[in-house]
Amino acid sequence: MCRIAHLTSAHPRNDPRIFIKQCRTLAANGYDVTLVVADGKGDARMDGVAIADVGRLPGRLQRILKTTQRVFDRALALDADIYHFHDPELIPAGLKLKRRGKTVIFDSHEDVSRQLQGKPYLGPVARRVLPALFSAYERFACSRFDGIVTATPFIRDAFLKINPVTVDINNFPIIDEFAGAESWSMKRNEVCYVGAISGIRGIRQLVEAGTLLRSGARLNLAGRFFDPAAEAEVRAHPGWQHVSDLGFLDRAGIRDVMSRSVAGMVTLLPLPNHIDSLPTKMFEYMSSGIPVIASDFPLWRDIIEGNRCGICVDPLDPHAIAAAIDHLVTHPHIARSMGERGRQAVLEKYNWGIEAARLTDFYGARAHVKQAIATF
């Protein structure tokens, strides 16, 4: 049995992409899978996947300097056939594993160089220098790995110039996870936003839109704030009275919120790392059968308008956001038809079943090569 170790120093053990989709899929296909994490919850076994916990250390600096070494040490002790790591901070660990003759795969969830360009806490010089330095290091390291997995076709195309063994495994929803939404007649006068909350993800504009609504709709906010300044600002804004702050929810809680909402919001601001992204929440809204109100980026417009499953707006314009919400709330027949078309698009092309097959094919090729080398 091929032994696989997935490694993360930053993500929780139940991360949707890493554990729920990738690790469980590989375990169900006969691989011996261990997920190395650093969340301090102890070793465990879940859904056929062994969880190896190296413990949680406080602060980002300790995580980068010490936790990454702990993850490497635990990974090396596993003596796996294939190592698949998910955080840029683990690139040095990946290189050390390669020097020991291991098969190593890097999973790039984000375009980190473009992400750094949009970090508000970096000054203008740092926003130019750091992305260039990281990009050079990434090219050096990733050309040496045995394969690259990416979360979007855009990131895939960038890595293909570095490593020809690159495949995109998109973060599309599991078909049945958000199915079974309530009857449209049972919907409430609500829309929802699910995910990390910050200024660059458009929370200021969403809350301001609340003061402009004519339909009286409420915004269900499901997630954690990752931007203290934006949090303080929006909580003091008059539009906050139109918000139901639900905090972080598990998958069942997210399903419940989406099932009673008329639409799902994904109005991220037009930063370099957002424009060509494929937000998981957008496809989860579609999977649950509700229309999407999304930023008017060309790629997103092709998906939303191409499948006639929502409305694209200027994410910087609270008036446009409010108008889109009002339109769907006051025209439930239109919202319902959009939701049905979005659900159908997920069933046909934007679902994890398709991506799971691509993942197992990719692993099958790596495992076959590893076995051939071992036999030789």
Side-chain angles (χ1 to χ4, degrees):
M1 183 181 293
C2 184
R3 294 167 298 172
I4 297 170
H6 278 249
L7 316 177
T8 177
S9 52
H11 293 81
R13 64 183 59 204
N14 61 345
D15 181 85
R17 176 175 176 83
I18 300 172
F19 173 74
I20 293 177
K21 294 173 182 172
Q22 293 190 8
C23 289
R24 293 200 314 176
T25 293
L26 293 168
N29 279 272
Y31 292 96
D32 181 354
V33 183
T34 299
L35 172 60
V36 180
V37 299
D39 60 9
K41 296 180 178 180
D43 293 354
R45 189 168 187 86
M46 302 190 302
D47 296 345
V49 178
I51 308 295
D53 180 22
V54 302
R56 180 180 178 87
L57 294 175
R60 180 176 296 180
L61 186 60
Q62 286 215 79
R63 190 187 79 198
I64 293 174
L65 296 179
K66 296 182 179 180
T67 300
T68 53
Q69 181 63 42
R70 290 183 178 183
V71 170
F72 169 77
D73 291 341
R74 190 68 179 266
L76 192 61
L78 291 172
D79 192 27
D81 297 302
I82 299 174
Y83 291 89
H84 184 147
F85 70 96
H86 292 266
D87 307 302
E89 63 198 46
L90 288 174
I91 288 177
L95 289 173
K96 287 193 289 185
L97 288 167
K98 274 302 301 174
R99 287 196 290 270
R100 285 161 174 77
K102 303 298 185 179
T103 298
V104 179
I105 297 168
F106 173 43
D107 197 315
S108 181
H109 298 196
E110 306 279 353
D111 186 329
V112 178
S113 295
R114 300 181 89 193
Q115 190 179 51
L116 289 170
Q117 295 173 27
K119 294 294 186 183
Y121 54 79
L122 295 178
V125 175
R127 282 200 294 270
R128 290 197 304 272
V129 174
L130 289 180
L133 290 175
F134 178 81
S135 180
Y137 178 64
E138 187 178 57
R139 288 196 302 272
F140 164 81
C142 292
S143 65
R144 287 157 172 77
F145 294 143
D146 299 279
I148 308 293
V149 172
T150 72
T152 71
F154 179 85
I155 303 175
R156 175 204 63 200
D157 290 345
F159 273 100
L160 279 171
K161 301 172 185 176
I162 302 169
N163 190 321
V165 186
T166 298
V167 63
D168 58 306
I169 306 295
N170 298 286
N171 227 8
F172 295 152
I174 298 170
I175 285 179
D176 295 332
E177 185 173 15
F178 299 109
E182 293 181 12
S183 167
W184 205 265
S185 63
M186 301 297 290
K187 294 284 187 182
R188 303 179 190 176
N189 195 17
E190 300 172 351
V191 297
C192 64
Y193 171 89
V194 176
I197 306 167
S198 66
I200 63 175
R201 290 177 172 86
I203 187 58
R204 292 182 177 90
Q205 290 77 12
L206 276 178
V207 172
E208 185 175 346
T211 63
L212 304 170
L213 291 170
R214 298 181 178 181
S215 60
R218 293 191 64 79
L219 170 65
N220 290 318
L221 203 58
R224 293 193 182 103
F225 275 92
F226 285 84
D227 184 341
E231 180 178 8
E233 183 178 334
V234 298
R235 287 187 183 278
H237 193 282
W240 190 253
Q241 64 182 316
H242 302 281
V243 174
S244 296
D245 183 14
L246 306 176
F248 179 81
L249 299 177
D250 60 17
R251 305 298 282 177
I254 291 171
R255 173 179 172 173
D256 178 65
V257 168
M258 292 194 294
S259 73
R260 66 176 191 257
S261 297
V262 173
M265 311 298 301
V266 56
T267 49
L268 278 59
L269 301 192
L271 299 177
N273 195 48
H274 290 163
I275 292 172
D276 295 297
S277 66
L278 291 175
T280 303
K281 65 177 65 66
M282 179 164 70
F283 298 100
E284 289 178 346
Y285 297 150
M286 293 165 62
S287 182
S288 70
I290 60 174
V292 182
I293 298 176
S295 303
D296 191 21
F297 304 152
L299 175 60
W300 296 12
R301 188 169 58 244
D302 287 346
I303 295 169
I304 301 301
E305 295 182 355
N307 291 287
R308 297 185 297 144
C309 61
I311 300 173
C312 292
V313 299
D314 179 354
L316 297 171
D317 184 355
H319 290 84
I321 296 170
I325 294 172
D326 282 339
H327 179 70
L328 294 177
V329 168
T330 58
H331 296 83
H333 61 290
I334 293 177
R336 179 175 182 174
S337 295
M338 286 181 171
E340 290 173 348
R341 289 192 289 267
R343 172 71 180 168
Q344 188 61 37
V346 167
L347 292 174
E348 293 176 357
K349 51 189 174 182
Y350 303 122
N351 66 76
W352 177 247
I354 296 172
E355 302 306 301
R358 289 160 55 81
L359 177 68
T360 53
D361 286 348
F362 181 79
Y363 259 90
R366 308 285 80 68
H368 178 74
V369 170
K370 184 77 175 179
Q371 185 179 28
I373 292 173
T375 303
F376 180 78

